Amino acid sequence: MGVTSWFMFVLLTVASAVGKLQNIVLLTLASAVGKLQNIVLLTVAYAVGKLQNIVLLTLASDVGKLQNIVLLIVASNIGKLQNIVLLTLASAVGKLQNIVLLTVAFTVGQEQLPAVYGYYTEGGIESGLETTTDSFLLNGKNITLITGTIHYFRVHPDYWRDRLRKLRAAGFIGVETYIPWNWHEPEIGVFDFGDGDSEFSAFLDVVGFLKMAQEEDLLVILRPGPFINAEWENGGLPSWLYRDTTLKTRSSNSAYISYMTEYFNVLFPLLRDLQFTAGGPIVALQIENEYGTVARGQHPPDTAYLEEIKSQMERHGLTALKFTSDSVISSRSNGSVPGAIMTANLNGLAEEALTLLKQLQPDKPLWVMEYWTGTWDHWFEEHHTRSTAS
């Protein structure tokens, strides 16, 4: 095969570590009759055990001339890039046709920022998530809770890590999720937390999901119900509850509390060792969900129900920060319980809601638990849309 008439694909892989080249280079070239007629895709993976950079390099050349622009963007968070890269390209016939100065994004002399867990556990864990008048502390250090929602039971487990990794890459430091009672106890006394024999069992490995969140450097805000709403069937309450005609859901009704207790006796022990203070990811636990929508119609509100949930958490060793969440403008403090911080759910009127929340609990920081970007549709009703302006 002659020099001017070769049709070959060249696959070059270079891998190394510790004192060697720390890059994996995949280079594919196609050529014909002495000309580079195709695109060169160069992907560089750089890190110690992680992919940190993706480099896209596009070159087109013809008879010794570089005819396209070379764009190389390098992003790094491994400490600091200590060199500026100068790439000189030489083309055919012994002439230097172009000198390309690649642009490198880097920090000079900036120390590598530690991961979330690295920072908040440095020196040992002395305390979990706590509140001051205007801020949160995690293990004694200030923290701003920027979190997003991923419902593990709505995502195929094969995609859990992908979704969690994308959440962390977007700058979030935590993930929030509900736990649906009706999926974890589909029949009375039949529990499935990922170890059952149904086709949905893999979706129910909540412990696996929470551990995976920690592996992806995400803290966890957990909302175990028993009622979760979440635009989920019956708010997560099992349908078999209604076989008992004496039962009243979301109340201190003895029959309801009995079933709830049996469920929590299985669930809560799974969570105890996953708390931040035990080396796990859970930093906060929600009590019920938007109970203010029920309580505001009661005189007086059935706060004994909320106190029972909180008490059961504590009996099982769940000491993480407790909170309630409500649409504060309409519910005010009706869904609250002593010993749990109130949070706001909203999609508008934020200033009004947060001003009211601060008035209701002046000794606590402001916390938005749900910031809605959309809303649901009911069958046969007009489809809801929202603009970015709203």
Side-chain angles (χ1 to χ4, degrees):
M1 184 175 292
V3 174
T4 60
S5 61
W6 52 279
F7 297 84
M8 300 178 65
F9 287 96
V10 180
L11 179 63
L12 173 60
T13 304
V14 179
S16 67
V18 189
K20 300 180 182 179
L21 290 175
Q22 295 181 343
N23 301 308
I24 299 173
V25 181
L26 178 61
L27 177 59
T28 305
L29 290 174
S31 180
V33 194
K35 303 175 182 179
L36 289 175
Q37 297 178 333
N38 293 322
I39 296 173
V40 179
L41 179 64
L42 173 59
T43 304
V44 178
Y46 181 95
V48 180
K50 297 182 181 178
L51 294 178
Q52 298 288 349
N53 304 300
I54 298 177
V55 181
L56 181 62
L57 173 60
T58 305
L59 286 175
S61 182
D62 184 18
V63 192
K65 300 177 181 178
L66 289 172
Q67 298 182 339
N68 284 348
I69 297 173
V70 179
L71 177 61
L72 175 57
I73 300 176
V74 178
S76 178
N77 64 356
I78 307 178
K80 48 191 173 181
L81 289 176
Q82 298 177 334
N83 298 299
I84 298 176
V85 180
L86 178 63
L87 176 61
T88 303
L89 297 176
S91 66
V93 197
K95 301 178 181 178
L96 290 174
Q97 299 288 346
N98 293 282
I99 298 177
V100 182
L101 179 61
L102 304 181
T103 303
V104 181
F106 67 103
T107 56
V108 178
Q110 180 178 347
E111 295 301 321
Q112 177 186 355
L113 293 176
V116 171
Y117 284 91
Y119 178 73
Y120 286 103
T121 63
E122 184 179 10
I125 300 174
E126 300 294 334
S127 58
L129 187 64
E130 300 172 306
T131 62
T132 68
T133 302
D134 294 303
S135 64
F136 291 93
L137 300 174
L138 183 60
N139 201 22
K141 299 179 180 179
N142 280 302
I143 186 170
T144 300
L145 295 168
I146 303 176
T147 63
T149 297
I150 299 176
H151 295 162
Y152 64 93
F153 49 93
R154 280 182 159 122
V155 180
H156 194 287
D158 287 352
Y159 294 104
W160 284 351
R161 190 174 299 278
D162 171 78
R163 302 303 189 265
L164 291 167
R165 189 165 292 179
K166 286 174 178 174
L167 186 68
R168 185 67 185 93
F172 294 86
I173 66 168
V175 60
E176 169 267 309
T177 188
Y178 286 114
I179 299 179
W181 181 4
N182 58 354
W183 261 34
H184 288 291
E185 191 181 2
E187 302 176 43
I188 299 176
V190 178
F191 300 96
D192 188 348
F193 289 94
D195 55 354
D197 56 3
S198 80
E199 59 186 347
F200 294 113
S201 185
F203 287 79
L204 304 179
D205 183 12
V206 60
V207 171
F209 177 80
L210 299 180
K211 289 180 177 180
M212 190 179 294
Q214 184 172 16
E215 291 170 2
E216 296 303 325
D217 201 34
L218 290 163
L219 302 170
V220 170
I221 295 171
L222 200 57
R223 308 169 83 180
F227 177 82
I228 64 171
N229 194 355
E231 287 64 63
W232 188 254
E233 180 181 330
N234 205 31
L237 296 179
S239 59
W240 48 257
L241 285 171
Y242 300 98
R243 297 174 188 169
D244 188 338
T245 58
T246 69
L247 184 146
K248 182 180 179 181
T249 60
R250 304 185 73 185
S251 75
S252 56
N253 170 273
S254 60
Y256 177 69
I257 294 297
S258 177
Y259 287 121
M260 181 189 78
T261 300
E262 291 300 315
Y263 169 60
F264 281 164
N265 283 344
V266 178
L267 171 63
F268 286 166
L270 299 177
L271 307 178
R272 183 175 52 245
D273 293 339
L274 294 176
Q275 296 177 100
F276 180 82
T277 51
I282 301 171
V283 296
L285 293 157
Q286 180 172 298
I287 298 173
E288 237 268 351
N289 188 79
E290 295 184 324
Y291 190 69
T293 60
V294 176
R296 67 185 182 218
Q298 299 172 340
H299 303 286
D302 187 2
T303 55
Y305 166 51
L306 302 181
E307 291 170 355
E308 177 62 25
I309 296 173
K310 181 172 177 289
S311 176
Q312 290 201 24
M313 288 180 174
E314 292 168 348
R315 284 202 300 270
H316 285 283
L318 298 183
T319 59
L321 182 71
K322 311 299 188 303
F323 66 93
T324 59
S325 67
D326 284 287
S327 299
V328 66
I329 293 177
S330 58
S331 297
R332 300 181 68 86
S333 60
N334 283 308
S336 65
V337 61
I341 181 175
M342 289 185 287
T343 69
N345 298 345
L346 53 87
N347 74 328
L349 302 176
E351 184 175 357
E352 180 182 349
L354 296 178
T355 298
L356 177 57
L357 182 60
K358 193 63 176 177
Q359 292 172 354
L360 292 171
Q361 52 174 24
D363 61 335
K364 301 296 182 183
L366 296 173
W367 192 359
V368 176
M369 184 50 53
E370 297 180 15
Y371 183 74
W372 310 312
T373 56
T375 190
W376 62 88
D377 292 337
H378 291 120
W379 288 106
F380 310 114
E381 292 184 2
E382 184 178 353
H383 173 58
H384 292 85
T385 61
R386 294 190 186 279
S387 68
T388 55
S390 65

